[in-house]
Amino acid sequence: MRDGTASPRTRPTDASYSPAPLAPNFALTLWATADRVPAKAAIEDRDAVTSYEALRAHAAGIAGALADGGLKPGDRVGIWMDRSAACAAAFFGVLAAGGIAIIINEVLRPRQVEHILGHSTAIVLLTTADMLARQNRELATAAQVVDIASLPAHGEFVPLPRVGRDYAQIIYTSGSTGLPKGVTWTHANLWAGARAVVHYVEVTEHDRLASLLPFSFDYGFNQFLCATFTGATLVIERSPVPQQVAATLRAKRVTVLACVPPLWLQLLGAPEFRREPIATLRAMTNTGGRIPVEGVRDLRRLQPQARLFLMYGLTEAFRGTYLPPDEVDAHPDSMGRAIPGSEIFVLREDGTLCDDDEVGELVQRGATVAAGYWNDPEMTAKVYRPNPLRPVGAPADERVVFSGDLVRRDAEGRLYYVGRRDRVIKTLGMRVSPDEIADVLYASGEVVEGIVGTEEDAVRGTRIIAYVVLKPESTLAALEAFCRRELPRHMHPARYEVLTGIPRTSSGKFDLRSTQASLETLAHGTQPA
């Protein structure tokens, strides 16, 4: 039996990566890891430590109770509780019993939870008495609401057989552009995605991965998957205060840190993160949007001992690209190349390949491409389409995912994000990327946070609006002067809105829609609801 004592890190070779050909029930990752390192800490949550053996026993108890209660393979089970060892056990318990797990964001309210349960036709909701007590009303749902504390905390259960194409999980998007959609991941998707990320980030059982993001968000969930896949330890931190987060990273000897851009920007302003490098931190990863170039350089300067992975992913395909850390300094605005086991195309509207540096839509194929949208064949057919470049010998029914994101590829194969197809700004007859303007806002050194939106204009076509949080010592006049110097006229913001903070989605990203809605409400003389 190994006890998790640190040993020298070994770097995986390219030959060590291969997708799992059989892709059985993904619950077996926990069962196998618990066999291999039973006493190793699986999850640390403040002072509570849960071993892999205890986590498996709890998952087995939940699986047995679900099976005894009549759960059938393919039935949907919602999981609505705080990010915790119990939430992790519930996920693996549902998979072990053959069900399809739906982790629901802990910050959602009854209306949103009811939509998810109803849309997925979940038959059970696993939750806690504390979660229900925090709500302003009782849930109205056909699902059986079960307090996780009422289920066995330990048991014996052998995960039911599953095959790669069987559904394992539905991830509901944050819904910042409308009602959330349920992206359906298979057991094969989970195996392929976890193996790919573990490979290129070089995660081993000796790592300690910070968990700062919701399990309901695919990126936050990925830290949990990688830890279980390898036998690493997941360190949960819930504080919204960057200074406390940075202190936890030091005290808990975190080795791998994953954040979205707003959280990185907050950490960059925390004295505890800035005062000296965090000695144990060896890897930092980013997805969910671009870190401004100045932010990338600050991260490299403040934490030079940590390798920085700039990545791109969409829920519809788990993860798409990563930039090798040794290329970050020279290409801080790139999102890299395809992850192992995937292929990325940049296509014109007619389905042909773009030339170098020509902007086109990012299209992904490979083992991580999800099965589609739950109970939405129309949207599935729109986004998951036949491969227009299907190679000889590829399955006739292969589907690729059309991301809706515009990118370009340089001569060396590196990809660069341009913007959402529906968010590219057309103003004064020119096409403008809002991210390019945001980069200049940050480069000014005057802002803590900033995003770029638009409003209709009869003359320009579209007016560019900059929403910013200024640094304490900064002025709007200084920011405006910098942007006038650095941007061509057609890219100048027509208006700046100075805010005290920028709203975020439930997954931690900047929420442009809520920002604009709040300002519109105030402009009409009413208070936000």
Side-chain angles (χ1 to χ4, degrees):
M1 180 189 303
R2 282 182 281 184
D3 62 4
T5 302
S7 65
R9 177 175 304 280
T10 56
R11 179 185 176 90
T13 64
D14 288 344
S16 71
Y17 173 80
S18 62
L22 299 179
N25 192 326
F26 192 79
L28 289 171
T29 57
L30 174 58
W31 264 245
T33 299
D35 280 341
R36 184 167 55 84
V37 286
K40 176 80 184 300
I43 296 177
E44 291 186 10
D45 188 351
R46 296 187 175 91
D47 295 329
V49 178
T50 304
S51 70
Y52 274 103
E53 186 173 44
L55 185 61
R56 178 178 61 181
H58 195 181
I62 293 168
L66 290 172
D68 291 345
L71 186 81
K72 301 183 296 296
D75 283 343
R76 276 75 64 205
V77 178
I79 301 169
W80 188 33
M81 59 185 74
D82 290 330
R83 186 163 32 104
S84 61
C87 184
F91 173 79
F92 280 111
V94 171
L95 263 59
I100 301 173
I102 307 165
I103 300 180
I104 301 172
N105 195 303
E106 57 217 65
V107 305
L108 296 186
R109 292 292 178 254
R111 180 183 297 273
Q112 293 82 43
V113 175
E114 289 161 359
H115 166 75
I116 291 171
L117 295 174
H119 184 266
S120 65
T121 58
I123 66 169
V124 174
L125 174 66
L126 300 178
T127 186
T128 65
D130 178 65
M131 177 64 76
L132 296 175
R134 298 201 307 250
Q135 308 311 312
N136 58 1
R137 64 172 174 83
E138 292 186 1
L139 282 177
T141 176
Q144 180 186 3
V145 179
V146 177
D147 184 347
I148 196 78
S150 70
L151 302 183
H154 54 82
E156 296 286 339
F157 194 89
V158 177
L160 297 184
R162 300 277 82 194
V163 299
R165 297 185 71 167
D166 285 335
Y167 298 155
Q169 181 178 17
I170 304 173
I171 291 189
Y172 277 83
T173 60
S174 62
S176 61
T177 57
L179 284 174
K181 302 182 293 293
V183 178
T184 307
W185 284 1
T186 67
H187 285 272
N189 291 151
L190 294 178
W191 280 97
R195 288 170 72 90
V197 176
V198 162
H199 173 73
Y200 70 75
V201 182
E202 301 176 26
V203 180
T204 78
E205 69 182 72
H206 310 297
D207 275 313
R208 297 172 60 80
L209 284 68
S211 173
L212 308 181
L213 303 168
F215 285 168
S216 58
F217 176 32
D218 56 321
Y219 186 32
F221 178 73
N222 188 240
Q223 316 312 310
F224 162 42
L225 287 191
C226 289
T228 309
F229 198 87
T230 58
T233 298
L234 191 73
V235 178
I236 292 178
E237 173 56 65
R238 300 187 188 85
S239 174
V241 180
Q243 183 76 348
Q244 178 57 52
V245 172
T248 297
L249 300 177
R250 290 188 193 277
K252 293 291 187 178
R253 299 175 288 110
V254 164
T255 64
V256 180
L257 175 60
C259 297
V260 290
L263 185 50
W264 280 123
L265 295 172
Q266 287 183 320
L267 280 174
L268 284 171
E272 181 63 28
F273 190 77
R274 300 179 65 88
R275 67 178 175 85
E276 63 180 359
I278 299 170
T280 59
L281 188 63
R282 68 160 193 87
M284 303 182 293
T285 70
N286 174 76
T287 191
R290 291 174 60 235
I291 306 175
V293 169
E294 293 301 314
V296 171
R297 290 172 178 154
D298 281 348
L299 281 174
R300 291 287 296 120
R301 178 175 55 83
L302 294 171
Q303 304 295 335
Q305 82 295 346
R307 305 172 75 214
L308 177 58
F309 293 82
L310 301 179
M311 308 184 301
Y312 161 91
L314 61 161
T315 306
E316 288 80 357
F318 195 95
R319 184 67 49 76
T321 71
Y322 80 100
L323 183 69
D326 58 4
E327 298 182 35
V328 167
D329 289 343
H331 305 279
D333 54 342
S334 173
M335 62 193 215
R337 304 175 182 84
I339 64 169
S342 290
E343 189 172 4
I344 299 292
F345 307 125
V346 183
L347 300 185
R348 303 183 181 101
E349 291 189 5
D350 64 2
T352 59
L353 283 171
C354 289
D355 295 328
D356 292 346
D357 291 318
E358 180 184 357
V359 174
E361 184 172 3
L362 183 147
V363 176
Q364 182 173 347
R365 75 182 289 245
T368 64
V369 172
Y373 296 105
W374 182 264
N375 197 27
D376 195 341
E378 182 177 345
M379 181 60 71
T380 297
K382 179 180 178 180
V383 174
Y384 295 88
R385 304 181 222 164
N387 184 358
L389 303 175
R390 183 168 68 91
V392 174
D397 63 348
E398 180 191 35
R399 294 294 182 268
V400 294
V401 61
F402 282 71
S403 68
D405 288 328
L406 298 177
V407 300
R408 64 178 179 85
R409 188 195 305 269
D410 68 18
E412 286 74 43
R414 282 178 292 267
L415 294 159
Y416 299 81
Y417 185 79
V418 174
R420 288 290 301 171
R421 178 180 290 280
D422 54 5
R423 278 213 67 219
V424 170
I425 300 169
K426 295 180 181 178
T427 181
L428 297 173
M430 307 285 283
R431 291 166 61 90
V432 174
S433 164
D435 285 330
E436 187 175 356
I437 301 171
D439 277 349
V440 173
L441 296 177
Y442 284 105
S444 72
E446 307 291 341
V447 306
V448 178
E449 299 174 349
I451 54 174
V452 174
T454 61
E455 62 185 18
E456 294 305 311
D457 182 275
V459 176
R460 295 170 178 247
T462 302
R463 287 159 53 90
I464 299 169
I465 312 300
Y467 303 92
V468 299
V469 178
L470 294 175
K471 292 181 177 179
E473 69 280 6
S474 298
T475 66
L476 180 57
L479 175 62
E480 291 177 320
F482 182 88
C483 290
R484 283 195 298 269
R485 289 196 304 270
E486 299 296 325
L487 290 170
R489 179 176 174 273
H490 69 275
M491 294 176 69
H492 288 175
R495 191 174 77 249
Y496 294 80
E497 293 283 357
V498 179
L499 310 174
T500 57
I502 295 177
R504 287 162 172 68
T505 67
S506 58
S507 56
K509 304 175 187 178
F510 287 138
D511 190 340
L512 178 62
R513 185 179 182 186
S514 293
T515 301
Q516 293 174 319
S518 296
L519 287 170
E520 184 175 334
T521 300
L522 291 171
H524 285 82
T526 58
Q527 294 299 314

